[in-house]
Amino acid sequence: MVERLVIIDNVDPVIFYGVNNTNMQLIRNLFPKLRIVARGTLIKALGDEDETAEFEKKIKELEDYCVKYNSLGEEVILDIVKGNPPKELKIDDVIIYGINGKPIQARSANQQKLVKAFHENDLTFALGPAGTGKTYVAIALAVKALKNREIRKLILSRPAVEAGEKLGFLPGDMKDKIDPYLQPLYDALEDMIPSNKLKEYLETNVIQIAPLAFMRGRTLSDAVIILDEAQNTTTHQIKMFLTRLGMNAKMVVTGDITQIDLPHSQTSGLVQALKVLQGVPGIAKVQFEKKDIVRHQLVQRIVEAYEKHDEEIRLLKAQKKEEDK
């Protein structure tokens, strides 16, 4: 008799074992000659050498499927254990499969341009209004690179521009104070990575989410680095960020230059960077439009209404300036 240990540390055991361990029970039924004990990420199989070796091989195939699709069902288990290739889920423009196998895909022409630009360039600027999916797609591309082991780290950052409340007056320690600014990044990751795995990545710093100020002095290699809300960086901050790029690393900088929250006396670092870096090889720019908005259809109408209002204010100011001459 041989005892073989199989570690499934790339997937969430909850997904792998199934609700009420239904998947694990099916696997036990398919290997009736083995005594199988599963606990956490460790599966023990006791039996003869050939049978346990085959068991380990099939478990690893099931794990690979689960990593790719974030789901594992009865039909897939039966196919893989019996040696039949499982049915591939073919959906155009899928980047990765999120929680419960939900396909995360490029849903507009400009999202597809962002996917292409990411693969062809080391620095990509994704610009446009809220709700166009620019940050979400960028994070999906980074998670895919992490899953495929093309990189070792995923670093997400935002400038912590104070909106109405001073950080010092917010409750808690520094993490509690800054987390509200970073919550949209957590939300996207929770759509794409099982909770147990995400917690592990955060605890081991495989995924790092931090305000822009925490980037100073670092060289970021073997990573995808995403800077969100870059319109709210100062000229010094964005230069500092862009020069953190290390070997085997890619950066995506997202922002909306119509939503700058900096004091009027300060120039947006994003606006300046776009001018300074225009035409530099290895840098791409993808411009999103109102038509790319993929949130509730009302969001597009809200954006258009505010644009109309801003244009009216601009015209009134121009008219008043002419009258004062």
Side-chain angles (χ1 to χ4, degrees), residues 174-287:
M174 180 54 73
K175 185 178 186 300
D176 294 329
K177 291 175 191 294
I178 62 179
D179 270 0
Y181 294 97
L182 306 172
Q183 192 57 49
L185 306 178
Y186 286 108
D187 290 343
L189 289 170
E190 286 167 357
D191 269 3
M192 303 174 195
I193 302 173
S195 57
N196 286 0
K197 198 67 183 174
L198 178 56
K199 183 181 178 185
E200 178 194 322
Y201 281 154
L202 291 168
E203 287 174 351
T204 56
N205 285 328
V206 171
I207 294 179
Q208 301 170 25
I209 305 178
L212 182 56
F214 285 40
M215 298 294 110
R216 190 172 298 279
R218 302 179 66 185
T219 299
L220 307 172
S221 302
D222 296 312
V224 173
I225 313 108
I226 297 173
L227 175 60
D228 192 30
E229 299 288 344
Q231 74 276 6
N232 290 326
T233 58
T234 65
T235 54
H236 295 297
Q237 283 176 329
I238 200 160
K239 181 182 177 184
M240 176 275 292
F241 175 81
L242 295 175
T243 53
R244 300 307 93 200
L245 189 66
M247 301 301 292
N248 187 38
K250 286 178 180 281
M251 279 185 173
V252 181
V253 176
T254 72
D256 178 3
I257 58 175
T258 68
Q259 297 291 325
I260 297 171
D261 297 322
L262 294 169
H264 292 300
S265 59
Q266 282 189 312
T267 301
S268 166
L270 177 60
V271 172
Q272 185 198 61
L274 291 169
K275 291 177 183 174
V276 171
L277 300 175
Q278 191 170 3
V280 174
I283 299 176
K285 184 179 88 169
V286 180
Q287 182 67 56

Side-chain angles (χ1 to χ4, degrees), residues 33-189:
K33 295 179 182 177
L34 297 181
R35 185 182 170 198
I36 300 167
V37 178
R39 188 166 296 161
T41 60
L42 186 65
I43 303 174
K44 290 182 184 179
L46 189 66
D48 70 53
E49 189 166 348
D50 290 343
E51 189 84 8
T52 56
E54 178 67 9
F55 173 79
E56 181 178 21
K57 176 173 175 283
K58 295 303 180 183
I59 290 295
K60 284 301 177 183
E61 288 178 23
L62 291 170
E63 183 185 21
D64 290 343
Y65 183 95
C66 200
V67 166
K68 181 175 181 180
Y69 293 111
N70 255 332
S71 66
L72 189 63
E74 181 180 316
E75 190 175 336
V76 171
I77 293 170
L78 289 168
D79 282 341
I80 289 176
V81 171
K82 291 179 179 179
N84 301 322
K87 292 176 184 174
E88 290 282 327
L89 300 176
K90 291 193 176 178
I91 302 175
D92 291 340
D93 303 316
V94 169
I95 300 169
I96 57 169
Y97 289 87
I99 298 303
N100 298 323
K102 170 191 169 188
I104 294 171
Q105 60 200 111
R107 294 172 59 185
S108 70
N110 281 323
Q111 286 187 4
Q112 290 167 14
K113 284 181 185 177
L114 176 54
V115 173
K116 188 171 187 286
F118 176 85
H119 290 305
E120 295 177 355
N121 300 274
D122 290 334
L123 171 58
T124 303
F125 289 94
L127 313 169
T132 50
K134 53 191 185 295
T135 302
Y136 195 81
V137 169
I139 292 175
L141 288 165
V143 170
K144 180 180 182 180
L146 187 64
K147 278 190 167 190
N148 292 345
R149 301 185 181 179
E150 297 164 16
I151 56 168
R152 292 190 296 109
K153 288 187 176 181
L154 167 51
I155 300 165
L156 308 174
S157 187
R158 268 187 160 198
V161 172
E162 296 172 0
E165 289 181 286
K166 298 292 183 186
L167 280 175
F169 288 98
L170 292 173
D173 59 17
M174 180 54 73
K175 185 178 186 300
D176 294 329
K177 291 175 191 294
I178 62 179
D179 270 0
Y181 294 97
L182 306 172
Q183 192 57 49
L185 306 178
Y186 286 108
D187 290 343
L189 289 170

